[in-house]
Amino acid sequence: EDNALSIVDLTTIGSVDLVTGGFTTDYGDRLAGVMTMETQSDTSARRTTLGLSITNLRATNQGDFADGDGQWLVAARRGYIDLALKLVGAGGRALTSYYDLSGKLEYRLTPNQTISFHVLYAGDSNKIPRETDGDPDVRDRFDSGYVWARWQGALGDRLAGEGVVSFSRADWHRAGDGTLEGGVHAFDLRDDRHLDTVGVRQDWAISLLERALLRTGFEFKSLAAGYDYALRREFYAIRNAQLFTDTQSVNASPQPKGDYAAAFLAPRLQLGRALVVEPGVRFERHTNPASSSWSPRLNATLSFGRTTLRAAWGIYEQAQGLHELAIADGETALHPPERAEQRVLGLAHRFESGVSWRVEAYERLSSQLRPHWENPSDPYESFPESVYGRIELKPSRGRARGIELMAQRRGEGRFDWSASYTYATTEEKIGTRWIPRTRDQRHTFYADLTYTPSPRWQFSAAWQFHTGWPTTAINYSLVPLSNGGVTYTWLYGPINAERAPAYHRLDLHATRTYRLRRGTLRVFADIFNAYNAPNEYGLSDHYAAIQQGKLVVTKIPGRMLSMLPSVGASWEF
């Protein structure tokens, strides 16, 4: 919610690269974008960091061995976001926590070859205990573990490569019982599922000529998922002007398996001094369901002075995850991979003053889209398959278009800043109508400012605004019964035809640094959503009652995170 947390301690990250479109052939099974993260590359300086704040407790340790040929990095974090929310009176009964543990061991085999071993284990849990009889009791937990070994190096003057062997397991646990939607109906749900992945990847870069490079590689994954799903719910139904209580039961435990194999080939050519082009093709094959495809792509950059023009075109595919079956909605088999054509055109320039700007336009046209089920009134419902009004959407096509303007100034003087504006549309065609996706936000503004008056102090602020997310109207009406009584029912209006209020938020941060005899002490204060904007995403609940023959409707707006302050300190020695 609000993208306020991650499963990786950012203090261990050396670089983050986000490509939102037009990525090259070495990335596959992705439709829209790719984000790559690299851990700190130089951990030779022995250092320990201990941190404590209102929201988490963390520790890191790094150092070297074997005369500097080997390095290690270990980090652990335990968060308790519910305590921070309770301090501002927004926690309610929720018990929310998270944790992560990461480690890296790296060794330089030769001056040109390095091998490393990595581990990441993370999880979070959310519990909302029942307050009174009949209230829903919510129990959610997610755990994931990743282990991988990586080789990077050069073999001679013309051949360089990278190889990765990996294993991962993800577990989802979701359970609850009680009543929903104002006590209208009862439910009992248990949803346990997991996904195991074993993979190997090898990339090579071969220098052919002074201005020609051939990139190639392959990837293989073996995947296995398992489900243990049980749902029982009672709900009201109206038939022949009579009110009935129906019961639905679902029990399923499929164990899908599948393999994924891919290979790519991409020559990179420098044509003259300014133009670099990389045509390429990627082959991908899935066994569940059986499919294979070729994806041609083309990337080019034209540089003249401080200005760079980038263009990209390509075909991309992404398969449905083995763990993504909508079992409660009757889905028993995986759908074929979705397919998209992307076009990207960007222009960037850097001034001598240190200010840089970029403008980028993109279009993504999607096909072979799989059906999906949604709760238009509350997309964040913990038990979406248990409530009324769940609908199936069968898009025939999809499209995403946008243009982004960004300017920034980093590393020049006491002030660093950045600002951006994005106009974007994300839609899918249902029948004859194009409707916005649930997360469509047409206008987005973002700005941040960091002021460093001295080595001891640093202040920063970040503000963002975007137009509201789409919502769907709910229309209630009275229904006469054959016994002379009356009840009510409701129907959705046009899907995603309305908008929630605009979202806006200000985050503040201040750090004071103290140089001690042993190490460095940093004391900081954060305020997330500093002016406590009541950002809404739609409805968190809605229900009606008949009072003196009249229909009284109650609609409770759903809100994102409220103001969340935090103070803490970290000691590095």
Side-chain angles (χ1 to χ4, degrees), residues 17 19 21-30 34 203 215 264-268 277-282 284 295-301 310-316 342:
D17 186 21
V19 181
F23 43 95
T24 51
T25 54
D26 43 333
Y27 297 110
D29 203 23
R30 294 292 182 271
V34 173
D203 296 343
R215 300 193 313 116
F264 73 93
L265 185 69
R268 180 177 295 175
V277 297
E278 183 179 290
V281 64
R282 184 179 181 91
E284 295 179 289
S295 300
R297 301 176 192 178
L298 176 63
N299 291 73
T301 57
R310 172 180 176 257
W313 171 88
I315 303 297
Y316 303 83
Q342 292 188 18

Side-chain angles (χ1 to χ4, degrees), residues 43-59:
T43 58
S44 57
R46 297 204 173 194
R47 184 164 62 242
T48 298
T49 303
L50 303 176
L52 174 65
S53 72
I54 293 177
T55 56
N56 66 66
L57 172 69
R58 66 181 185 86

Side-chain angles (χ1 to χ4, degrees), residues 355-374:
V355 175
S356 61
W357 61 264
R358 175 174 60 87
V359 57
E360 185 170 280
Y362 68 90
E363 181 180 56
R364 184 175 71 250
L365 305 177
S366 305
S367 59
Q368 299 178 192
L369 299 179
R370 64 178 181 266
H372 56 95
W373 292 77
E374 291 191 4

Side-chain angles (χ1 to χ4, degrees), residues 360-420:
E360 185 170 280
Y362 68 90
E363 181 180 56
R364 184 175 71 250
L365 305 177
S366 305
S367 59
Q368 299 178 192
L369 299 179
R370 64 178 181 266
H372 56 95
W373 292 77
E374 291 191 4
N375 294 70
S377 61
D378 182 9
Y380 295 101
E381 169 61 51
S382 299
F383 308 106
E385 66 271 58
S386 300
V387 299
Y388 288 110
R390 190 160 168 81
I391 61 173
E392 183 183 20
L393 301 178
K394 296 181 178 181
S396 58
R397 287 184 291 163
R399 65 189 181 195
R401 296 168 176 166
I403 183 167
E404 179 180 1
L405 307 172
M406 188 189 77
Q408 66 177 8
R409 185 174 184 266
R410 302 291 189 192
E412 303 287 341
R414 296 180 177 181
F415 288 95
D416 289 341
W417 59 267
S418 70
S420 65

Side-chain angles (χ1 to χ4, degrees), residues 35-101:
M35 183 173 70
T36 58
M37 294 188 293
E38 292 282 345
T39 53
Q40 294 182 26
S41 58
D42 183 10
T43 58
S44 57
R46 297 204 173 194
R47 184 164 62 242
T48 298
T49 303
L50 303 176
L52 174 65
S53 72
I54 293 177
T55 56
N56 66 66
L57 172 69
R58 66 181 185 86
T60 63
N61 179 262
Q62 66 181 55
D64 63 355
F65 61 96
D67 297 325
D69 288 335
Q71 300 179 11
W72 78 78
L73 172 64
V74 180
R77 191 171 51 153
R78 175 68 166 85
Y80 26 86
I81 193 73
D82 52 327
L83 297 182
L85 289 172
K86 283 180 171 58
L87 287 177
V88 294
R93 293 175 288 119
L95 303 173
T96 306
S97 63
Y98 65 93
Y99 64 89
D100 53 73
L101 172 67

Side-chain angles (χ1 to χ4, degrees), residues 195-214:
L195 176 66
D196 295 333
T197 306
V198 178
V200 59
R201 177 174 61 86
Q202 179 65 58
D203 296 343
W204 294 104
I206 308 169
S207 298
L208 302 176
L209 301 169
E210 182 180 354
R211 297 186 177 183
L213 178 74
L214 179 64

